[in-house]
Amino acid sequence: MDAFLDGFAVVSQPENLLYCLIGVLIGMLIGVLPGLGPAATMAILLPIVVTVDPVAAVIMLAGIYYGAQYGGTITSVLLRLPGEASSVVTVFDGFALAKQGKAGTALGVAAIGSFVGATFSIILLSLSAPLVASWALDFGPAEYAALALLGVLLIATIGSGHPIKALIAACVGLLFATVGRDSFSNAQRFSFDSMQLADGLDFVVVAMGLFGVAEILYNLEERHGKAHVPAAVNNIWPSRKELKQASPAIGRGSVIGFFLGVLPGGGAVMASLAAYATEKRISKTPERFGRGAIEGVAAPESANNAAATSSFIPLLTLGIPANASMAMLFAALLVLGITPGPQLLEERPDLFWGVVNSMYIGNVLLLVLSLPLVGIFVRILRVRPAILAPITALITILGVYTINNSTFDIFVMIAFGIVGYLMKKVGFEPGPMVLAFVLGALLENNVRRALLIFDGDPTGFLTRPISGTILALFLVAALFPIVQAVRHRRAATPDETHHREDSLR
């Protein structure tokens, strides 16, 4: 309890409060700007934040992440243009409400739902993170290897993109993780006798290319020539009847968001989709959804904010990022000389509780600021990408150079930027590749360490209770899509047969 209260003392320092405010404002801004997500923004700002105090830097980056979930709602409702991927579902009913003259009501319900979902998740994060961290202290190489393997699979199977494409991207990420010197035998792998590649690819440089440069290129193309007219915003606060209608959806969305946010590959996008689908399925009038149902705004908005907060649990307690934005935060922590994992709570309680408690304050700031700033954010949308892109590109190039004072890193970043751009063009998300790149080193090193402990006997992974349980979950997660596909095929067969018989008559 003392450490928890000390966390409030940490975040109450003027410098940390200022960075919390800057973080949530930047987060809202990039949430409003379509395409430029929190991962890309963190990639662009990473070289700048390393000059800041580590606690303040992480508080700001965390604020960017959960602040973006708020900002994405504004353009979803007013312009039918989701600023964030997690706000895509909000478009369905949010824009329909705006067309009915209820844009203010939709934004008000979204802000209240976001605040409730995030606060619910922060409370559970505060209660559960120390327990998870103390449980993770019992983890050895076998447990970490099993967890990394499960993480790679979940990235591919429950992410927002196509599973096969995500799996291919994850495999490529694992391959990139093997570049450089073998940490056990010291042999060079895929380095092509290059001194710059001898120590492997720098995760920060790769992530800045795949998220930062790729997003700049993609947004330049996607937003060229588009113009939107925002709807009018009146009566921001919903009525008592509308609040009563939205409250159960906010509650269910918060619970769904918390649990899906913890899973690798889950995150805010998956949570908002699941919450919306749940509300539609249990509703007595599902036909209202897509035509301006309040629940269709309340559920996904509370879920994506709850998920954004709970995704900090695996990062801070296990050192495993749950999504692409958490991977960028993972990179930031490494650059700042901080290793996330079960020891973080003991070694840096000021940072751990400072960041967690900053979320309480950050969410209050977001609730207070989100609606009054709607008009300003809509005006910012009119700034041409041709003006913003060169500025962000220059910051990114200067930033990546300052990390290692290496021009080679700039070329690597540009190369991965082009790879990321091409991936998005053909429907591959760079997130699975980056996450697999992080998990690849964790997986390989711990598999080999565990095999040394087990004298080369792989059954040792199955005989240990925790690693055995995780591998059993891996098997279930791997077989579930196959079983589901077989069931769907069997269910479809009678209809097809009936169809065929009808056509023959």
Side-chain angles (χ1 to χ4, degrees):
M1 180 55 80
D2 289 343
F4 175 75
L5 295 175
D6 288 343
F8 277 111
V10 170
V11 74
S12 299
Q13 292 171 12
E15 184 189 12
N16 293 335
L17 279 176
L18 176 64
Y19 278 101
C20 183
L21 177 64
I22 293 171
V24 297
L25 282 175
I26 294 175
M28 287 176 70
L29 178 60
I30 59 109
V32 167
L33 293 172
L36 193 65
T41 307
M42 287 186 206
I44 292 165
L45 293 178
L46 200 53
I48 298 171
V49 299
V50 295
T51 60
V52 179
D53 174 72
V55 178
V58 181
I59 285 175
M60 186 179 80
L61 292 175
I64 289 173
Y65 180 48
Y66 58 77
Q69 313 305 323
Y70 275 76
T73 312
I74 297 170
T75 46
S76 293
V77 172
L78 298 182
L79 305 174
R80 203 182 187 182
L81 194 67
E84 255 292 287
S86 59
S87 301
V88 168
V89 187
T90 309
V91 167
F92 304 152
D93 289 281
F95 189 68
L97 283 166
K99 283 202 297 184
Q100 296 166 17
K102 295 181 179 176
T105 303
L107 288 172
V109 167
I112 293 168
S114 299
F115 177 76
V116 173
T119 306
F120 171 80
S121 198
I122 297 166
I123 293 169
L124 289 190
L125 166 64
S126 304
L127 295 173
S128 63
L131 297 175
V132 176
S134 93
W135 175 61
L137 286 172
D138 295 332
F139 275 32
E143 286 74 21
Y144 272 109
L147 204 58
L149 191 64
L150 179 64
V152 172
L153 179 72
L154 289 180
I155 289 163
T157 54
I158 67 171
S160 55
H162 193 282
I164 300 296
K165 289 182 176 178
L167 190 61
I168 293 170
C171 290
V172 175
L174 288 175
L175 184 65
F176 281 131
T178 62
V179 173
R181 188 180 291 110
D182 185 329
S183 56
F184 284 76
S185 67
N186 218 28
Q188 288 293 334
R189 303 180 302 188
F190 308 115
S191 61
F192 307 102
D193 297 326
S194 166
M195 290 298 291
Q196 287 92 348
L197 290 176
D199 290 329
L201 291 164
D202 191 314
F203 168 62
V204 178
V205 176
V206 171
M208 287 178 72
L210 283 173
F211 290 128
V213 176
E215 286 294 337
I216 291 168
L217 295 174
Y218 191 76
N219 289 336
L220 264 178
E221 183 180 74
E222 287 293 305
R223 292 187 62 199
H224 182 70
K226 290 185 180 177
H228 304 275
V229 180
V233 180
N234 298 308
N235 301 324
I236 287 172
W237 295 108
S239 65
R240 187 174 292 179
K241 182 185 172 187
E242 288 163 337
L243 271 180
K244 189 177 176 184
Q245 194 178 350
S247 296
I250 291 173
R252 285 187 287 268
S254 301
V255 174
I256 291 170
F258 176 81
F259 287 104
L260 286 182
V262 177
L263 296 177
V269 180
M270 185 74 185
S272 60
L273 285 168
Y276 186 86
T278 303
E279 288 306 314
K280 190 173 179 181
R281 181 164 292 184
I282 65 174
S283 173
K284 292 177 182 173
T285 53
E287 65 277 4
R288 291 189 301 109
F289 283 76
R291 297 178 182 176
I294 284 284
E295 302 95 313
V297 174
E301 285 304 312
S302 51
N304 65 29
N305 281 273
T309 304
S310 65
S311 60
F312 281 84
I313 294 176
L315 176 71
L316 296 177
T317 59
L318 300 173
I320 295 177
N323 53 50
S325 297
M326 287 298 102
M328 281 313 307
L329 199 55
F330 178 79
L333 288 165
L334 294 181
V335 170
L336 291 164
I338 300 159
T339 306
Q343 304 289 346
L344 182 64
L345 192 56
E346 289 183 8
E347 293 173 357
R348 293 298 305 268
D350 59 325
L351 184 139
F352 185 92
W353 288 113
V355 172
V356 171
N357 292 350
S358 73
M359 296 179 193
Y360 288 101
I361 295 171
N363 271 290
V364 173
L365 289 173
L366 283 166
L367 183 66
V368 172
L369 293 174
S370 58
L371 297 180
L373 293 179
V374 167
I376 296 172
F377 287 136
V378 170
R379 284 181 196 169
I380 291 170
L381 278 168
R382 294 173 186 155
V383 178
R384 291 169 57 192
I387 297 171
L388 289 176
I391 297 170
T392 49
L394 184 64
I395 293 171
T396 310
I397 290 170
L398 287 174
V400 80
Y401 177 77
T402 55
I403 293 173
N404 298 315
N405 292 328
S406 165
T407 50
F408 180 77
D409 284 351
I410 296 174
F411 292 116
V412 172
M413 180 187 71
I414 292 171
F416 273 96
I418 295 169
V419 169
Y421 167 73
L422 294 175
M423 284 176 70
K424 293 201 79 166
K425 289 288 287 178
V426 294
F428 283 83
E429 288 295 323
M433 183 190 285
V434 172
L435 286 168
F437 185 79
V438 176
L439 295 175
L442 189 74
L443 177 64
E444 184 190 0
N445 290 333
N446 283 296
V447 164
R448 295 171 75 174
R449 281 191 194 119
L451 286 174
L452 285 174
I453 294 169
F454 301 147
D455 291 328
D457 181 8
T459 58
F461 289 99
L462 302 174
T463 55
R464 290 173 68 92
I466 297 175
S467 62
T469 306
I470 296 171
L471 287 175
L473 289 173
F474 173 85
L475 195 63
V476 171
L479 291 177
F480 182 72
I482 300 170
V483 173
Q484 207 174 23
V486 171
R487 287 181 63 187
H488 283 164
R489 183 171 292 181
R490 283 183 179 173
T493 304
D495 292 342
E496 287 171 4
T497 309
H498 188 66
H499 242 325
R500 229 175 279 132
E501 285 171 356
D502 282 349
S503 63
L504 287 171
R505 281 173 194 164

